[in-house]
Amino acid sequence: MNRIIFILFLFVSTQIASIDFPNFQLGEEAAKEEFKKGLTYKNLKKYSAAKERFQKAVSLKKDFHLARLELANNYFLLGEWEQSLEELEILSTQRKSDLLLQAKIESLRLNIAGGSSSLERIFFKTLDGDNFRGNRFRNPVDIAFDEDGFFYIAGFDTSNIIQFNANGEPVSNWKGSITKRLEKPVSIAYHKQKLYVCDFSKDEVLIFNLKGKLLSSIGGTGSIQGKFHGPAGITFDSSGNFYVSDSGNNRIQKFNPNGVFEFEWNGSDDAYLKNPAGIFVYQDKIYVVDKDNVRVLVFDFDGNLLSKITKQEWKRPRNIRILENEMYVTDELTGIWSYSLEMGEWKLLPRFRDKKSVYRVLNRPFAVNIDPTGSFYAVDYGKHRVDIFSQKNNLLSNLDLKIESIDTSEFPNIHIYTRLKNRAGKEIIGVDRLAFRVYENDNMTPLFSMAKKEKLNEKMNLAFVYENSETLAKSEGLLNDSLTPFFRSLTEWDTISLFRAGKDSNLIIPSTKSQKEILAKIRDSKKEDNYNFGKSAISALGQLTMNIGPRALVFLVASESKENHFLQYSKSRIVDFAKAHSIPIFVLSTSSSPAVKKSWIDITEPTNGKFIVLDGEGEERNLYSIFRSYLDYRYILSYKTDINPELIDRYIKLVVDVDYRGVKGKDLGGYFVPYEN
């Protein structure tokens, strides 16, 4: 049955036939004009105005299928997902054989349900180190991912780092510089556009840029502070400090973001380290594989022992990572052990079935990792390979490709804004331009470019919504202390808009970088007892959707969120609006009350945002880097059309499809040939 479904989805994503612009009879011109206005608004990212026009077009011409499809698209982009599903289902009853519609309906149902419910991962493919000519790796020891979808595999025996693109194809082979060659890399970590490599033989940590250029190194052989004897693991905390397992010296060393030694520790009492290997920071704790003592020790950032983790079946633990609320311990002799932090259960993966249902036995697993799509990678030192497992639903169904808007302001140059997600609702990043195809009026456009991520993410846009209360106004000193590091980090490109949530919603400051101006507005506003957070959030999100780059909606509050704060627009509507555009929602609170946090997490957690208590010394110190980390992963496809500019007002149909790892996605859009500027 799954095979049949898979074939159907392949069919729908490779066919160009789709809903076309209709012929209009006498008296139906008004429907065409409303549709044209709606499409113009949509392509300007004015989705509310577009929705009203599409509604009128559908009411004037009941069988205007293209208008109904665009109406459904606009409902989705506005966070009105139930209404979007209703329109798609009406359209489906009229076009029962349209498989693109069925794919959209299935995708939307999954979105409404919270994403793919199946976390079961099945074998996808193997990266065999001996099969890559010119990019060969043997005895792989570790794997790391960057935010562009590239990943890096360290080969111990081949003394190299192989860089792969998101589709699993080798891109480059790093071996160091002429004067400083890699010898025995054993652990790697990605941090802020750099790759840190522990070279076990050289007793150094080597630092590369993402083009493979060796930038610098720290350490050297020795037992004094800052030196190593077999560095075996490396990890970073949220402030950019990094920690290295110094295996031969039986200690952990901490370095600041500039690579300067800070302090060291080796355990205490009956928990002294002996040959520490893998190391990982998770929720203000440091987990260290105490290899020769066959256990994991957990420390705080000052090196104080917090707990021990042991398992009788372990024989030679090597590495540890905590990913998606699951702890993974790789044991070279027994397999990959996973522990659910929610369920409290251990599981063992000693072998697995491949695509031919043949069992493959792991031979000295060294490390694991999970990429941004949720695929799981197992690094097998003994077999010279990396095995990849993907969630079952993601391999048996279409990708969720959506055209957000089409920019014709530079006609004949066309810019298509698209977003690509998998069935679990996760952004697909790092997809190559060649994976996309663009069809204009059913003719493939062979030449198009894709906006570079660096250019797309130069500018950060934030919308602050503040609670117009006396309590928050009296916290001016705390707000000033807590937000000063953030405002000092703002660049000339970054902007903040400020909305007041009182009985109504008001845009107070369209754009600012001034902390004093924001605090003055919070202090001097006439205070009210009720706060329309719902309307403020929708207004703020509407403004954010107009921008490119990192974006976030930020609430400044002192009290709990209550039902009457979201009467006009519900929390679920706000969450869906934010999720449609991958905009995280943060709540910065001057109150540390658990009740306040509990009342807000149903709006922060579903959008991958966070509730942060402002206390002047905590997590708010890293606010700028936190907001900046939410990159804009849209794919902007640009080309020069051959459409005759004299065909003013002619509707041009666009189809975009994509093929990523053998799974496909597709969406339909269009534009009207504009008047000359």
Side-chain angles (χ1 to χ4, degrees):
M1 180 64 181
N2 284 337
R3 180 175 177 81
I4 295 173
I5 294 173
F6 185 48
I7 292 171
L8 287 175
F9 278 121
L10 288 180
F11 174 79
V12 67
S13 60
T14 55
Q15 299 302 303
I16 304 305
S18 54
I19 301 174
D20 292 309
F21 198 65
N23 293 318
F24 290 90
Q25 304 298 321
L26 187 64
E28 294 180 337
E29 292 83 359
K32 176 183 176 181
E33 287 303 311
E34 292 295 343
F35 176 79
K36 178 186 173 184
K37 291 175 182 177
L39 199 60
T40 301
Y41 280 129
K42 180 198 173 186
N43 290 334
L44 290 172
K45 303 174 186 176
K46 298 180 179 180
Y47 302 118
S48 293
K51 179 185 74 173
E52 294 178 9
R53 297 300 182 177
F54 290 136
Q55 285 174 331
K56 289 183 179 179
V58 170
S59 67
L60 291 169
K61 184 174 172 58
K62 302 298 182 183
D63 62 347
F64 198 166
H65 301 318
L66 191 58
R68 193 177 294 278
L69 178 63
E70 290 291 6
L71 175 59
N73 291 340
N74 272 266
Y75 275 133
F76 177 84
L77 292 167
L78 285 166
E80 300 176 53
W81 290 1
E82 295 286 353
Q83 292 91 329
S84 178
L85 180 59
E86 182 179 343
E87 295 298 331
L88 288 174
E89 288 177 335
I90 291 172
L91 199 52
S92 178
T93 61
Q94 300 166 347
R95 298 174 60 88
K96 295 181 180 179
S97 61
D98 193 322
L99 297 179
L100 174 60
L101 282 177
Q102 298 305 321
K104 281 180 166 288
I105 288 170
E106 182 192 352
S107 174
L108 186 49
R109 284 174 177 164
L110 282 171
N111 274 309
I112 292 171
S116 173
S117 59
S118 173
L119 297 179
E120 177 190 359
R121 292 187 177 95
I122 60 175
F123 175 75
F124 170 55
K125 71 176 182 179
T126 288
L127 301 176
D128 191 326
D130 286 327
N131 287 345
F132 298 108
R133 293 183 180 180
N135 296 290
R136 183 168 171 260
F137 64 84
R138 287 183 65 79
N139 297 126
V141 288
D142 206 357
I143 183 170
F145 298 88
D146 66 25
E147 65 258 21
D148 295 326
F150 289 89
F151 61 92
Y152 308 82
I153 296 175
F156 187 79
D157 184 58
T158 43
S159 304
N160 61 351
I161 306 292
I162 304 296
Q163 181 188 41
F164 289 81
N165 64 21
N167 221 22
E169 299 160 339
V171 175
S172 58
N173 186 345
W174 306 354
K175 294 189 175 183
S177 65
I178 296 176
T179 57
K180 189 183 288 289
R181 307 286 286 179
L182 273 170
E183 291 186 10
K184 295 298 177 185
V186 73
S187 179
I188 56 180
Y190 169 80
H191 184 71
K192 290 188 174 180
Q193 298 293 306
K194 296 176 184 176
L195 196 72
Y196 292 70
V197 182
C198 289
D199 194 313
F200 193 82
S201 180
K202 295 181 75 69
D203 295 323
E204 291 180 329
V205 174
L206 279 63
I207 305 170
F208 294 83
N209 68 14
L210 298 190
K211 293 184 178 179
K213 180 181 179 181
L214 180 63
L215 301 176
S216 62
S217 64
I218 64 170
T221 304
S223 58
I224 63 173
Q225 295 176 344
K227 300 293 184 179
F228 303 113
H229 184 56
I234 183 170
T235 188
F236 283 80
D237 65 24
S238 59
S239 299
N241 303 303
F242 59 95
Y243 306 79
V244 179
S245 295
D246 189 0
S247 65
N249 290 317
N250 301 315
R251 65 184 177 183
I252 305 299
Q253 296 196 67
K254 177 184 177 181
F255 297 83
N256 72 14
N258 296 318
V260 177
F261 172 85
E262 296 251 317
F263 69 91
E264 64 178 275
W265 74 89
N266 61 2
S268 59
D269 301 327
D270 65 336
Y272 282 102
L273 292 164
K274 190 174 181 181
N275 194 11
I279 183 171
F280 195 77
V281 168
Y282 181 74
Q283 291 187 348
D284 299 331
K285 297 177 184 178
I286 304 174
Y287 294 74
V288 181
V289 174
D290 190 8
K291 187 177 177 183
D292 284 2
N293 288 317
V294 194
R295 63 188 177 185
V296 173
L297 299 182
V298 186
F299 300 93
D300 64 19
F301 285 152
D302 294 321
N304 299 308
L305 181 68
L306 300 176
S307 61
K308 307 173 190 176
I309 302 173
T310 60
K311 193 124 184 79
Q312 186 176 0
E313 295 87 346
W314 289 348
K315 294 182 179 179
R316 193 185 295 173
R318 159 63 61 173
N319 212 333
I320 184 169
R321 278 197 171 101
I322 301 175
L323 309 161
E324 296 184 343
N325 220 21
E326 196 92 5
M327 179 191 301
Y328 295 92
V329 177
T330 49
D331 188 293
E332 294 181 51
L333 300 182
T334 61
I336 299 172
W337 294 83
S338 62
Y339 178 80
S340 171
L341 300 182
E342 291 181 349
M343 306 301 294
E345 297 176 351
W346 283 100
K347 293 181 181 179
L348 172 64
L349 177 67
R351 59 181 186 169
F352 60 90
R353 289 182 185 269
D354 62 17
K355 287 185 176 180
K356 297 180 180 178
S357 291
V358 176
Y359 273 111
R360 295 191 183 194
V361 178
L362 293 168
N363 187 346
R364 297 190 70 184
F366 255 51
V368 302
N369 213 332
I370 294 177
D371 73 12
T373 71
S375 294
F376 181 85
Y377 294 67
V379 178
D380 195 325
Y381 179 94
K383 293 287 188 179
H384 312 296
R385 73 187 187 203
V386 175
D387 297 307
I388 307 175
F389 304 82
S390 288
Q391 291 181 7
K392 190 173 182 179
N393 283 358
N394 295 338
L395 293 177
L396 298 175
S397 57
N398 267 23
L399 296 171
D400 188 10
L401 174 67
K402 283 188 170 59
I403 297 175
E404 287 189 353
S405 63
I406 300 167
D407 181 3
T408 61
S409 60
E410 299 176 350
F411 189 87
N413 296 311
I414 307 296
H415 309 287
I416 310 171
Y417 287 73
T418 69
R419 192 176 293 282
L420 184 63
K421 296 183 180 182
N422 65 14
R423 283 314 211 203
K426 291 186 177 181
E427 301 257 17
I428 304 292
I429 64 176
V431 179
D432 189 85
R433 179 185 65 84
L434 298 177
F436 288 90
R437 291 183 298 179
V438 177
Y439 298 86
E440 192 176 67
N441 282 348
D442 295 343
N443 297 312
M444 188 167 71
T445 302
L447 298 176
F448 62 90
S449 61
M450 191 160 67
K452 293 183 178 180
K453 179 189 69 69
E454 294 78 11
K455 188 70 176 176
L456 199 61
N457 286 280
E458 284 181 343
K459 179 180 178 180
M460 180 172 67
N461 294 276
L462 305 176
F464 278 33
V465 174
Y466 72 92
E467 169 191 306
N468 191 27
S469 69
E470 193 69 46
T471 304
L472 188 67
K474 289 180 178 178
S475 302
E476 182 181 4
L478 177 59
L479 288 172
N480 183 68
D481 292 342
S482 299
L483 297 179
T484 293
F486 163 73
F487 278 93
R488 285 177 177 171
S489 300
L490 290 173
T491 71
E492 61 177 315
W493 302 104
D494 303 324
T495 61
I496 300 172
S497 55
L498 183 67
F499 292 79
R500 182 182 67 219
K503 292 179 181 178
D504 203 350
S505 170
N506 297 97
L507 174 60
I508 303 300
I509 307 175
S511 179
T512 185
K513 296 183 184 67
S514 169
Q515 181 177 1
K516 290 183 178 179
E517 187 177 12
I518 289 177
L519 293 179
K521 291 295 183 183
I522 295 175
R523 180 189 66 233
D524 297 337
S525 296
K526 184 179 179 181
K527 303 303 176 285
E528 300 170 277
D529 297 325
N530 194 17
Y531 322 116
N532 195 334
F533 285 125
K535 186 175 181 181
S536 298
I538 293 296
S539 298
L541 287 169
Q543 184 185 72
L544 289 171
T545 60
M546 304 288 289
N547 301 312
I548 61 173
R551 302 170 293 177
L553 170 59
V554 185
F555 287 96
L556 293 172
V557 305
S559 57
E560 298 177 31
S561 69
K562 298 179 179 178
E563 187 176 346
N564 63 342
H565 297 159
F566 297 91
L567 291 177
Q568 190 172 0
Y569 297 100
S570 67
K571 284 186 177 181
S572 61
R573 163 74 193 283
I574 294 165
V575 167
D576 290 346
F577 194 173
K579 287 170 66 176
H581 299 273
S582 297
I583 298 174
I585 299 178
F586 289 84
V587 174
L588 307 183
S589 174
T590 57
S591 170
S592 59
S593 166
V596 174
K597 179 178 181 179
K598 185 178 179 181
S599 73
W600 282 101
I601 59 174
D602 58 348
I603 204 170
T604 57
E605 289 188 354
T607 62
N608 294 318
K610 203 165 188 181
F611 180 93
I612 297 175
V613 176
L614 301 178
D615 56 16
E617 298 293 337
E619 198 170 4
E620 73 274 11
R621 295 292 176 183
N622 301 311
L623 274 180
Y624 185 82
S625 61
I626 291 173
F627 293 151
R628 262 284 178 186
S629 69
Y630 288 80
L631 299 181
D632 191 337
Y633 286 121
R634 281 176 291 183
Y635 295 93
I636 303 179
L637 311 176
S638 302
Y639 68 96
K640 187 173 183 178
T641 180
D642 292 330
I643 298 295
N644 189 336
E646 294 180 2
L647 297 176
I648 295 169
D649 276 352
R650 179 70 61 86
Y651 176 75
I652 307 300
K653 181 181 68 176
L654 286 179
V655 174
V656 179
D657 66 24
V658 64
D659 186 334
Y660 173 74
R661 296 185 177 181
V663 185
K664 302 175 186 293
K666 174 185 172 184
D667 200 13
L668 166 70
Y671 66 92
F672 284 87
V673 177
Y675 289 89
E676 291 186 23
N677 295 327

